[in-house]
Amino acid sequence: MAEGITARWHGDNYQSRVFWENAFNLLDDHSCVVEVTFEANGPKSFDDVVVRYDPPVARSGPDRVNAEYHQIKWHVETGGRFGYEDFVRPDFIGAKSFSLLQRLKEARAKVPPGQTAHFSFLTTYRVKDGDPLADLISGNDRTLMVEKLFDGTGDRSRMGKVRRLWRDHLDLADDNELKAVMRGFRIIEGHRTLDELRSEINLKAQVVGVMAFSASDSDFRYDELARQMKVRQLNALTRETLLQLCRDEGLLVPRPAKSDACLPVAIRSFLGPAADIAGAAPENTLVLTDDFRQRYLQDRRDWQRDIRPRVEEFLRAAVKKSGQLRLILDAHASIAFLAGAVLDVKSGVETELVQKGRVGTRVWRADDGTASKGARFDVARHRLGEGKEIAVAVSIAQPAEAQARQYVSAQLPGAGQLITFSMPAGTGHQTVTGGEHAAALAEQISNVLRQDKQDDPDALVHIFAAVPNSLLFYLGQHHQSVAPCVVYEFDFDRRGSKTYQPSFTVD
């Protein structure tokens, strides 16, 4: 019984933190969010958190979105898996009579004419490996990719079985009716933990001038505050009502003068699950999402021809505005490396990085005092043949060596050596302690490669890395020691090539 009560409390706290994660966007000067509601009065099941936008925001598809409705399911354990068949089972969402899809159909019918809404199912569980659902979730913004679901195949095909089950369950006449229900449905799987959301909220609070609370506190004030707002019928917040609430609760803190702050600039090649992605003004944001589908280049797009010039031009324009930048990279690893190459150690630009991870979002700097708290790489050299090219596998967040070896063996006959960089304690998302630690690790890689290339400075380096974007940025700052080099992207979602693909060649 006690465990059940604790789980319910944690579930309530999780919902309140998703609410605050969105609500603090109301105080961002560049946000499109105009109202955020906690436990709204409908539509049923998608009423946990409701976010409204003005002007409407861009998502996958041609239509801009006016509102987003969330159903939130937190679970004690993170090992749970689900598939497309679970969406027709009421007990999957803790209900007795109506399934998730039936609630989606009901909610979709209540969207006002002329409005475009998205309905998001947000869960800490993950999609089952091999389930058709895994092939349908966009890596861009987690929407269901209706063009893949309705692929023109029959009911006996892989996607046909999904359509038939959902269509029959909803008692729909044909696929066109099903398509109308499923368009704009977001499946946000494997969402962040309670602690990660707490860190995210604290960072957002500091950005918008609201009080943050120490991780050493046993409680988190914003959890209970959300529930008390519901009791007082103050659960629908606008910018004005949120400001007044913060004044009444003593939560407002002085914001630093804008002249003292770094200029926030953002590069986005994919969108995360947050309802409104704020942090940099539109004129200081480079949006590349139209060039990608999931995390893969659109057909007829080329990294070197289409992506690289836009990134370089954007960053050079940003430097003209300010010599102090706060760089937000919701972007591919290759773009992080290229950004470092543009803003290298000789550029004179002071750069801090917004690093996202399992412990939430933090600001990393190359002088933040974290270098002494983290270990250095174990380095190993492996002879592959007589070729002059060098392959590099860097393992931090995940192991990179095995997949790199397979790719090198199959695709890079000119690679004569593989150099592996691994952490003594193994892989993990909290292995890098901060910006100075990341910069020190990048410098270690640079020094090893400089030494190995002494006899042949033009030897081509192939970089395979499973590391935080900030580390790749710092490594890019040392590109003169590493280049010429090719940076590779890995299919971590396992929805494309399931191996590495080359991106930029930096010389």
Side-chain angles (χ1 to χ4, degrees):
M1 180 66 72
E3 290 182 357
I5 292 173
T6 301
R8 189 178 72 244
W9 288 344
H10 283 325
D12 291 342
N13 291 343
Y14 197 86
Q15 182 178 329
S16 71
R17 293 182 192 186
V18 174
F19 164 75
W20 287 112
E21 182 186 26
N22 289 288
F24 282 151
N25 287 325
L26 290 164
L27 303 183
D28 190 292
D29 294 337
H30 307 294
S31 172
C32 297
V33 173
V34 293
E35 183 181 83
V36 182
T37 305
F38 178 69
E39 294 189 355
N41 294 325
K44 186 70 172 178
S45 289
F46 287 92
D47 56 359
D48 291 338
V49 175
V50 179
V51 184
R52 301 188 186 280
Y53 308 99
D54 187 14
V57 297
R59 290 285 188 261
S60 290
D63 299 322
R64 289 180 172 264
V65 178
N66 302 91
E68 187 153 14
Y69 300 83
H70 297 77
Q71 172 164 146
I72 300 166
K73 288 297 176 185
W74 178 85
H75 298 275
V76 174
E77 74 286 349
T78 60
R81 298 292 184 266
F82 65 95
Y84 77 96
E85 295 174 314
D86 292 296
F87 286 176
V88 305
R89 294 175 39 235
D91 62 331
F92 175 62
I93 56 172
K96 295 182 178 180
S97 302
F98 296 96
S99 69
L100 178 68
L101 288 188
Q102 287 170 325
R103 290 302 189 192
L104 175 63
K105 178 185 175 184
E106 177 187 357
R108 174 68 64 193
K110 295 180 179 179
V111 176
Q115 300 284 303
T116 298
H118 275 186
F119 294 87
S120 297
F121 174 61
L122 189 154
T123 178
T124 51
Y125 277 1
R126 294 185 179 275
V127 174
K128 297 175 184 175
D129 290 341
D131 191 273
L133 195 59
D135 298 326
L136 294 173
I137 302 174
S138 167
N140 178 38
D141 63 358
R142 303 303 184 188
T143 53
L144 191 80
M145 295 187 290
V146 293
E147 70 274 18
K148 291 195 70 174
L149 176 59
F150 300 91
D151 59 0
T153 58
D155 283 352
R156 294 183 179 181
S157 69
R158 178 176 169 83
M159 291 303 165
K161 292 176 181 178
V162 179
R163 295 194 304 270
R164 181 175 180 177
L165 177 67
W166 290 357
R167 187 179 63 234
D168 292 349
H169 175 68
L170 295 176
D171 195 25
L172 299 174
D174 54 36
D175 279 353
N176 287 331
E177 290 188 5
L178 179 61
K179 185 183 295 186
V181 174
M182 304 311 299
R183 192 179 298 279
F185 179 43
R186 299 179 79 200
I187 303 167
I188 305 172
E189 52 156 344
H191 197 50
R192 294 190 291 274
T193 66
L194 274 163
D195 283 346
E196 290 165 6
L197 280 175
R198 178 173 179 155
S199 298
E200 178 77 15
I201 291 165
N202 271 333
L203 180 65
K204 280 196 173 185
Q206 295 174 64
V207 170
V208 299
V210 177
M211 188 177 295
F213 293 93
S214 172
S216 64
D217 294 340
S218 298
D219 63 346
F220 187 48
R221 185 178 176 187
Y222 289 114
D223 292 338
E224 182 59 29
L225 183 57
R227 290 188 282 274
Q228 290 303 316
M229 289 163 50
K230 176 65 175 178
V231 171
R232 296 172 56 196
Q233 298 183 343
L234 293 174
N235 53 317
L237 294 180
T238 64
R239 179 183 175 90
E240 291 71 26
T241 56
L242 177 55
L243 281 171
Q244 187 59 51
L245 174 72
C246 291
R247 293 188 191 100
D248 294 343
E249 297 290 335
L251 296 174
L252 289 182
V253 296
R255 298 181 67 173
K258 290 187 177 181
S259 59
D260 297 332
C262 291
L263 174 68
V265 295
I267 302 176
R268 309 198 191 283
S269 56
F270 52 79
L271 296 177
D276 186 50
I277 310 297
E283 62 269 21
N284 296 323
T285 301
L286 174 62
V287 179
L288 299 169
T289 52
D290 288 344
D291 293 291
F292 294 86
R293 187 55 173 169
Q294 300 184 50
R295 294 201 178 201
Y296 312 103
L297 272 179
Q298 296 275 25
D299 293 340
R300 295 182 295 279
R301 296 289 203 283
D302 181 81
W303 283 97
Q304 200 79 356
R305 182 192 66 233
D306 300 310
I307 307 301
R308 180 174 179 173
R310 295 176 64 188
V311 173
E312 292 177 336
E313 291 169 10
F314 169 76
L315 290 173
R316 287 167 182 153
V319 170
K320 293 179 181 179
K321 298 178 183 179
S322 175
Q324 296 176 295
L325 302 180
R326 175 179 295 131
L327 189 57
I328 304 164
L329 291 171
D330 287 322
H332 293 70
S334 301
I335 293 175
F337 183 91
L338 180 62
V342 176
L343 305 174
D344 64 23
V345 291
K346 297 181 180 180
S347 67
V349 179
E350 182 180 336
T351 306
E352 59 184 35
L353 302 163
V354 176
Q355 177 63 49
K356 297 183 178 180
R358 291 192 183 277
V359 295
T361 304
R362 296 176 292 171
V363 175
W364 284 8
R365 295 177 56 91
D367 60 355
D368 60 16
T370 58
S372 61
K373 301 176 183 179
R376 298 299 183 266
F377 284 120
D378 288 336
V379 182
R381 293 174 172 83
H382 310 271
R383 176 54 57 185
L384 303 177
E386 299 303 320
K388 296 183 178 181
E389 298 176 11
I390 301 171
V392 174
V394 190
S395 304
I396 290 184
Q398 299 183 54
E401 180 179 349
Q403 293 286 353
R405 278 184 177 275
Q406 291 179 17
Y407 185 89
V408 171
S409 176
Q411 304 290 337
L412 301 178
Q417 182 179 204
L418 171 66
I419 306 177
T420 60
F421 295 85
S422 58
M423 301 301 289
T427 57
H429 289 271
Q430 299 183 42
T431 305
V432 182
T433 59
E436 189 176 66
H437 185 205
L441 292 172
E443 187 171 8
Q444 183 185 2
I445 297 171
S446 170
N447 289 338
V448 169
L449 289 173
R450 181 186 293 110
Q451 177 182 344
D452 280 57
K453 294 180 64 171
Q454 282 182 347
D455 295 333
D456 188 1
D458 293 326
L460 183 63
V461 175
H462 303 270
I463 300 174
F464 307 89
V467 304
N469 268 2
S470 295
L471 194 151
L472 274 174
F473 172 86
Y474 291 126
L475 183 58
Q477 288 192 311
H478 293 279
H479 68 98
Q480 288 145 330
S481 300
V482 178
C485 61
V486 182
V487 189
Y488 290 77
E489 291 286 337
F490 186 70
D491 177 21
F492 287 112
D493 292 335
R494 292 177 286 110
R495 294 173 185 166
S497 64
K498 299 183 181 180
T499 185
Y500 283 101
Q501 291 292 322
S503 59
F504 301 121
T505 299
V506 179
D507 48 24

